[in-house]
Amino acid sequence: MRMVSDVAFYHFGLENMLGHKLSQMPAQALEDVQRFVLALNIDGCPLFKSTGLSAWPVLACVTNIKPRVIFPISIAVGVSKPKDLNFLVEAISDLDKALREGYVFNDKQFTVHLQCVICDAPAKAFVKCTKQYSGYYGCDKCCQKGFYIGRMTYPLISLFNMRTNTSFRNTSQPEHHKGLSPFTRLPIDMIEDFPIDYMHQVCLGVVKKLILRWIRGPIGDGRLSATQVSLISSNLQSLRPCIPREFARKPRKLEDIDRWKATELRQFLLYTGQFVLKDVLSHPYYNNFMVLSVAICILVSEEMAFNYRDYAHQLLQHFVSKCKDIYGREFLVYNVHSLVHLKKEVEKFGCLDKCAAWPFESYMQTLKRKVHCGQNPASQIVKRVLEENECKSEYSYKLNNQIYTKKPDNAYKIASGKYCEAVRRVTENSFMCRVYHSSEALFERPCDSRTLGFCMFNKHNYAMKTILRKDLVKRCLKFEMENQSVFLPLLHDFSQQNR
Ligand SMILES: [Zn+2]
């Protein structure tokens, strides 16, 4: 290790790491592959609460092969963030070479494509050498000048000029820039290839901001009483038995919000919020939350995002402008504003999970767990990564196509569009199921819930049928409420398991 940018630094090298990872893959994984599509992630990750020590790895993910491969190209570790961007120089040189010359593995030539660089907002501004989101020209997607009301806000929801690769590289709006980013050396789009990461900006950003507003905001003005907060908490906890194994965490109390992880905020936004807030949050606030929830449900779903993106965009514009009415114009901070730019990400990447930080976050948590406080944690990390390179059996195909017959894992959507619970295996490839009929809408605003596949049934409206394994196509959450059974197909990419 050596000192770069005033922090301890180690360069693993793109070629070297990619070679190690590919040699651990099952041979058939590369059979039809001609190119490697990379996503990059740069973010500071605190190593131990007690020491203030953080790691700044440059992580790469090969997104077009399965199982997904993630590895560090380099890593910087220090008590403060790197003082400049010199810690990126070698990773960017490696990328430059790979993008130009491609990559040879086992005598086969592959091309290399850099699809995106995923960062949270502060890290993105840092690596792009631009003003932070708290500055007047801090939006990385549009040129609108912020409006300062004790904090920077971005009030426009349409009719702004978008930044482009050309305008960025020409420094057309000098107030946006602080210097020359080393990324400009690469043949990439300096705007479109740095997507909005909905894990940070929507889940940890907007959803958490909303919840904090409800429980700790100004009295009146939509703030919940202590009784209402504990009612929501007990609603959340009552759903714990219904949460299937795809979720690493079960719902916990709203009072624990400061410790909620991004996955818990996603679970609340997509699946549980609509139930636990109903009849507790007053109408304008509940309806406003539902507009956000439905829009993001659409945009995370690989099946719906592209086709319904215009509708989701209208919902998000409506959400942001309503936020101004009900929470005040100081609510329209950068994260809330950036919702109106999400449609563009879906147009480029397909759905929000394709350009989000989940898999990187998960990789870093795994790495962190292997490092212990004490002597030289930086070199401990480097050693762990190098040891993993030598491990030959790291990857194995674990395609989980098991069908479960016990609650809460046995709710499925059937190929025919119906919903069922598998209750018993009949043969190797068929299951006895309770198949529900006569669906009702779970909610009707802002649209019929069945548009998202969210359906409600009278719990007696079912018939026992034998269903083939191949027809049990989609895992669902199933909630039971008095006389009703509610099915919610899982919309997010749950192969990106997160803790
Ligand atoms: Zn903007």
Side-chain angles (χ1 to χ4, degrees):
M1 297 195 79
R2 59 186 198 276
M3 295 302 283
V4 174
S5 305
D6 268 3
V7 286
F9 175 83
Y10 189 88
H11 185 63
F12 297 100
L14 173 62
E15 281 190 25
N16 173 38
M17 290 300 289
L18 187 56
H20 277 293
K21 296 295 162 188
L22 294 177
S23 63
Q24 292 168 342
M25 305 276 299
Q28 73 268 26
L30 296 179
E31 263 169 16
D32 300 321
V33 178
Q34 266 78 45
R35 68 171 191 165
F36 296 125
V37 179
L38 300 181
L40 223 59
N41 170 254
I42 304 158
D43 200 0
C45 170
L47 291 176
F48 315 107
K49 282 196 186 108
S50 52
T51 62
L53 209 62
S54 291
W56 281 77
V58 178
L59 298 177
C61 174
V62 186
T63 61
N64 64 321
I65 49 178
K66 280 189 176 151
R68 182 183 285 117
V69 177
I70 297 184
F71 55 86
I73 302 176
S74 60
I75 191 159
V77 179
V79 282
S80 59
K81 97 177 189 187
K83 74 163 182 187
D84 54 36
L85 296 178
N86 288 335
F87 76 106
L88 296 178
V89 168
E90 284 169 77
I92 287 176
S93 296
D94 286 4
L95 279 161
D96 188 35
K97 180 165 183 270
L99 297 181
R100 279 186 293 108
E101 298 174 10
Y103 184 76
V104 178
F105 179 72
N106 280 351
D107 297 329
K108 183 174 166 187
Q109 172 80 36
F110 296 86
T111 56
V112 177
H113 172 66
L114 179 60
Q115 184 183 38
C116 58
V117 183
I118 300 170
C119 302
D120 66 4
K124 197 196 291 182
F126 181 46
V127 305
K128 286 177 73 180
C129 295
T130 63
K131 295 283 168 62
Q132 287 288 345
Y133 56 90
S134 51
Y136 279 103
Y137 299 91
C139 180
D140 56 318
K141 297 291 176 184
C142 73
C143 301
Q144 74 169 293
K145 184 183 177 185
F147 184 77
Y148 190 80
I149 340 169
R151 69 203 70 176
M152 194 55 66
T153 65
Y154 294 92
L156 294 181
I157 56 165
S158 59
L159 301 175
F160 32 65
N161 285 327
M162 296 301 286
R163 299 188 190 283
T164 64
N165 186 41
T166 311
S167 76
F168 187 93
R169 286 174 184 268
N170 291 341
T171 331
S172 302
Q173 188 181 56
E175 300 93 330
H176 179 57
H177 298 261
K178 285 172 81 174
L180 187 64
S181 166
F183 276 101
T184 54
R185 276 183 57 195
L186 298 177
I188 58 172
D189 188 308
M190 290 299 295
I191 305 301
E192 290 188 1
D193 294 347
F194 288 80
I196 293 168
D197 165 29
Y198 95 100
M199 181 191 105
H200 281 104
Q201 295 189 218
V202 182
C203 299
L204 288 162
V206 182
V207 180
K208 191 162 180 175
K209 187 175 171 68
L210 277 173
I211 296 176
L212 287 173
R213 179 66 185 236
W214 300 332
I215 66 177
R216 294 184 200 151
I219 306 242
D221 224 14
R223 172 153 155 184
L224 298 166
S225 68
T227 318
Q228 288 171 312
V229 173
S230 65
L231 181 56
I232 294 173
S233 290
S234 71
N235 288 346
L236 276 167
Q237 287 174 302
S238 72
L239 297 177
R240 289 173 71 96
C242 310
I243 304 294
R245 63 182 63 223
E246 280 78 5
F247 294 85
R249 290 168 184 274
K250 308 257 188 209
R252 53 176 162 165
K253 291 189 297 196
L254 214 52
E255 291 90 333
D256 290 336
I257 183 70
D258 296 314
R259 287 183 291 281
W260 279 26
K261 305 285 183 208
T263 51
E264 296 172 278
L265 291 154
R266 172 175 62 186
Q267 188 184 69
F268 184 86
L269 174 64
L270 303 182
Y271 306 110
T272 59
Q274 53 167 308
F275 296 100
V276 303
L277 300 173
K278 198 164 189 224
D279 303 326
V280 186
L281 211 56
S282 64
H283 280 296
Y285 301 94
Y286 181 76
N287 291 343
N288 182 245
F289 170 80
M290 288 303 294
V291 168
L292 176 69
S293 173
V294 168
I296 303 298
C297 279
I298 291 171
L299 296 182
V300 297
S301 153
E302 215 171 347
E303 286 155 36
M304 288 186 284
F306 197 78
N307 290 339
Y308 293 162
R309 67 192 187 283
D310 287 325
Y311 173 60
H313 179 63
Q314 286 166 15
L315 289 177
L316 290 171
Q317 285 179 312
H318 178 74
F319 171 79
V320 176
S321 75
K322 270 284 173 207
C323 277
K324 183 171 135 201
D325 298 343
I326 63 180
Y327 299 114
R329 55 187 184 165
E330 61 273 23
F331 199 80
L332 306 191
V333 296
Y334 167 70
N335 280 339
V336 177
H337 159 68
S338 68
L339 294 169
V340 302
H341 295 314
L342 286 179
K343 180 178 111 164
K344 278 245 172 205
E345 310 305 5
V346 165
E347 284 171 346
K348 182 172 165 81
F349 297 99
C351 68
L352 294 183
D353 273 326
K354 302 270 188 209
C355 60
W358 304 107
F360 296 109
E361 188 77 2
S362 182
Y363 175 87
M364 271 316 288
Q365 295 310 321
T366 320
L367 198 59
K368 245 172 86 171
R369 276 197 290 273
K370 293 179 182 165
V371 180
H372 305 287
C373 204
Q375 270 217 316
N376 209 342
S379 69
Q380 285 183 50
I381 294 190
V382 172
K383 275 187 195 147
R384 290 298 99 81
V385 172
L386 295 175
E387 279 164 16
E388 279 173 15
N389 283 347
E390 300 313 315
C391 159
K392 287 294 168 206
S393 58
E394 190 187 348
Y395 295 108
S396 57
Y397 264 125
K398 271 194 227 148
L399 259 181
N400 187 358
N401 55 4
Q402 192 176 340
I403 300 296
Y404 298 94
T405 52
K406 294 266 183 315
K407 283 181 187 173
D409 296 313
N410 62 341
Y412 293 90
K413 187 173 182 183
I414 313 175
S416 63
K418 293 199 161 145
Y419 294 82
C420 75
E421 281 172 291
V423 290
R424 181 166 55 82
R425 178 192 291 270
V426 180
T427 67
E428 176 59 26
N429 289 314
S430 63
F431 291 82
M432 184 54 69
C433 299
R434 273 184 218 113
V435 181
Y436 288 80
H437 58 84
S438 313
S439 75
E440 294 165 49
L442 178 60
F443 52 81
E444 278 159 6
R445 290 178 68 170
C447 64
D448 189 311
S449 70
R450 288 169 290 188
T451 314
L452 309 177
F454 293 175
C455 293
M456 187 162 72
F457 302 90
N458 180 311
K459 69 176 178 190
H460 304 294
N461 282 349
Y462 68 82
M464 299 306 292
K465 287 184 184 164
T466 306
I467 305 289
L468 295 176
R469 171 193 285 271
K470 69 172 177 56
D471 291 332
L472 297 169
V473 288
K474 205 163 180 68
R475 289 292 300 266
C476 295
L477 272 154
K478 176 172 172 279
F479 294 139
E480 283 167 32
M481 297 144 55
E482 292 171 18
N483 270 324
Q484 257 83 35
S485 290
V486 172
F487 283 79
L488 313 176
L490 299 188
L491 303 171
H492 70 282
D493 177 0
F494 51 86
S495 68
Q496 308 184 352
Q497 270 294 350
N498 281 95
R499 301 286 143 192

